Amino acid sequence: MRRSDGVVLVAVLLITLLMSALGAALVLVSSSEAAIAVNFRSSQEARDAAAAAAERAIVDLRAAADWNQLLDGAVRSPFVDGSPFGRRFLSDGSMVDLEAVVNLANCQKTTTCSDVEMDAKTSDRPWGPNNPRWRLFSYGWLRDALSAGAIDSAYYTIVLVGDDPSENDADPSRDGVPPSPGAGVVELRAQGFGPRGVRRTVNVTVARTGAREVRVISWRETS
Amino acid sequence: MRVPFARAVTVACPAPMPNSAVSDAADAGFSLVELLVAMGITLSILGVAFTVVSGWQLAFGAENERADQQQRLRVAVNAISRDLALAGAGAHLGNSPGPLGLFVASVFPFRQGALTPDPPGTVRADTLTVLYVPPQTAAQTTLQQPLVARSGTAFVNLDAGCPSADSTCGFAAGMDVMVYDDTGAYDTFRVASVQPGALDLQHDMPDTPQSYAAGAQIAEAVSHTYSLKTDPLTDTFQLTHYDGVSSEAAVVDHAVGLTFEYFGDPLPPILLRPVTDPTGPWTTYGPRPPRRNVRSTAYAAGENCVFRIDPTTGLHMPRLAQLGNGSASLVKLTEAQLNDGPWCPDETNQHRYDADLLRIRRVSVTLRIEASLTAFRGPAGILFTRGGSSRSARQWVADQEIRFDISPKNLSVSRARL
């Protein structure tokens, strides 16, 4: 056996190693890029889902005769997908817990909020006893918002309603009365939920300007 | 002919070969022809291998560059679209909530602020400034006393909507604020310090004699200016962001194209209810005109930048013309339309802006990003705004151009939903 026979094997191994390393790096870069693009798209889709849910909720607000019944939870939007509690599972297995979403909005924790916690003055809720007490208004899959097949989306939406804080009546379960600047004004907090924990929120301030007429005062993407 | 070093190989053997014939064969080594053939084959294989690997290396480098380019595009699109989407958001708390579009314009084709602001009437295709009240602020109230548009102290009311038990209504040092009223005037300030019921303000715009009456809105507000910075001498091509006060920074490098186009409401503003009504909104867009015998700007009594009084009927009529072909579809606003007046709050104001800016409902953005390394750019032309050093198309990473439209929600929300 010649002593130089193994050189070819070594050379082939080195070249294979080099090409494998380059290939692996290329795949890594490509897959990272694809993952970033997917996350970017998911975030945009969640925002659009939240916006669509808010628009749908505004239509339902217009039809509601008494907004106090929305603020105390007696009346909800027709766009609901069952009981107002429990979990909804997204396509990747992640879940949305309705009660946790409401509690997070009211006192920034997932368990039940006490009155004291909801009236606490925080940077997000600096109005103390006039802090909005969010309640479920609508909740359901975005694809169910229109007739079957009209929307191709796996996103879940939740819209909360609360009294606007431009009142000093310390009663967030009832709308103010004129001349209070908050009379006939409510806040909507719409959220879109997608796979991999994607979540976007839109806050909308809506005023009633007539029996069947509303006006959007402010539209704010908050997260 | 045998090569001499074959002997050396034989010498290196640890034991003599028992058979002389075999020993001769083993000692024979390689002939020159064998060596040349072997070297030729080896070089050919290595050449092919290096060609393949080199191609991979080029592809790898180009792929990295494309990924970087895409990422820079995403960063730029995200920044611009986020701020544009919020443009025009006004106070949502207090006595006179509503989008900025009912008071002042909030999308401008020029730079404004403390550092090198553009003069009135400037229209730059590659510059955009937006104003809005941040989504989660509670610092929104009204002036208690008149305020002149220069640095000084502003006394503020504690209106409904101010944070509970807060004598400064949520305002804090370092916060950027905006004062505006229904004459169509606005000024931006930075809060230097706060005291109960009073704010020490640093004016962020050139001082003017403009005076805001008690009751004018004051709210936390932000200004964002995006523009294209091009300096071939220093090889600087950037999308930059300016905060309207003192901070200007690059958003992304190697931006070689940026264009903003504006699409507006073709209909002139309409008066929805008598200006004497205590609650608004009074107009479909634009500031409410003063009462007939009241003169609030350089316009005649009862008039402002978007409404005039018809001398025949004595009624408020829109000062702006109807655009387009008579349909309600948005129309593209030309540069001439954006700097020919009428001016808000009036033509004597040093911060005046064209009233047609109040029409803007949609902004179209075109952004072009190039590869950061010249080694990935070919000759200047369709694919490359700026030429590079590469002459091999295999490693070219062409400029990426994206066009996207944003319809700021708050620029269209003032209309009632029936």
Side-chain angles (χ1 to χ4, degrees), chain A residues 162-187:
Chain A
D163 200 9
D164 83 302
S166 293
E167 294 175 6
N168 46 17
D169 58 1
D171 186 359
S173 64
R174 293 195 68 77
D175 190 19
V177 293
S180 167
V185 181
V186 294
E187 289 273 328

Side-chain angles (χ1 to χ4, degrees), chain B residues 112-115 117-118 149-150 187 203-209 350-351:
Chain B
Q112 71 149 35
L115 300 177
D118 287 325
R150 60 173 179 256
D187 277 89
H203 197 204
D204 290 338
M205 298 166 76
D207 294 348
T208 70
Q350 295 171 47
H351 299 159

Side-chain angles (χ1 to χ4, degrees), chain B residues 42-55:
Chain B
T42 306
L43 284 174
S44 299
I45 293 172
L46 284 176
V48 170
F50 277 116
T51 303
V52 170
V53 170
S54 167

Side-chain angles (χ1 to χ4, degrees), chain B residues 207-414:
Chain B
D207 294 348
T208 70
Q210 172 73 33
S211 178
Y212 294 91
Q217 291 276 338
I218 179 168
E220 181 180 2
V222 290
S223 169
H224 296 282
T225 299
Y226 291 95
S227 59
L228 187 66
K229 181 179 181 181
T230 56
D231 186 357
L233 289 178
T234 58
D235 195 33
T236 303
F237 293 82
Q238 296 173 326
L239 168 68
T240 64
H241 171 264
Y242 170 52
D243 71 350
V245 187
S246 58
S247 172
E248 181 157 19
V251 179
V252 293
D253 287 323
H254 293 282
V256 290
L258 178 66
T259 308
F260 297 103
E261 294 173 284
Y262 303 92
F263 297 84
D265 191 338
L267 303 175
I270 298 168
L271 209 54
L272 295 172
R273 51 176 56 88
V275 295
T276 50
D277 271 15
T279 56
W282 295 270
T283 68
T284 50
Y285 66 90
R288 166 179 60 156
R291 298 179 186 194
R292 279 184 213 162
N293 56 348
V294 175
R295 188 177 184 195
S296 58
T297 62
Y299 291 103
E303 298 188 354
N304 68 3
C305 60
V306 288
F307 287 98
R308 61 181 176 80
I309 290 184
D310 186 306
T312 309
T313 62
L315 299 175
H316 281 110
M317 301 296 290
R319 189 182 294 279
L320 300 181
Q322 175 152 348
L323 304 179
N325 57 8
S327 75
S329 302
L330 299 185
V331 295
K332 184 177 177 181
L333 300 173
T334 65
E335 180 179 341
Q337 287 169 329
L338 297 179
N339 66 3
D340 64 350
W343 301 98
C344 292
D346 58 48
E347 63 184 10
T348 66
N349 192 291
Q350 295 171 47
H351 299 159
R352 62 186 177 274
Y353 56 87
D354 194 297
D356 285 304
L357 293 173
L358 291 158
R359 294 181 188 264
I360 294 175
R361 301 290 176 270
R362 177 159 59 93
V363 180
S364 182
V365 186
T366 306
L367 177 65
R368 190 176 174 105
I369 301 280
E370 68 175 7
S372 57
L373 299 176
T374 56
F376 292 110
R377 299 203 300 264
I382 296 173
L383 295 180
F384 302 97
T385 303
R386 297 196 309 141
S389 59
S390 174
R391 294 293 174 264
S392 167
R394 284 193 305 166
Q395 64 185 122
W396 285 358
V397 178
D399 294 355
Q400 291 278 322
E401 186 171 288
I402 188 171
R403 179 188 168 110
F404 57 98
D405 287 15
I406 302 287
S407 297
K409 283 279 188 182
N410 291 288
L411 298 185
S412 305
V413 297
S414 58

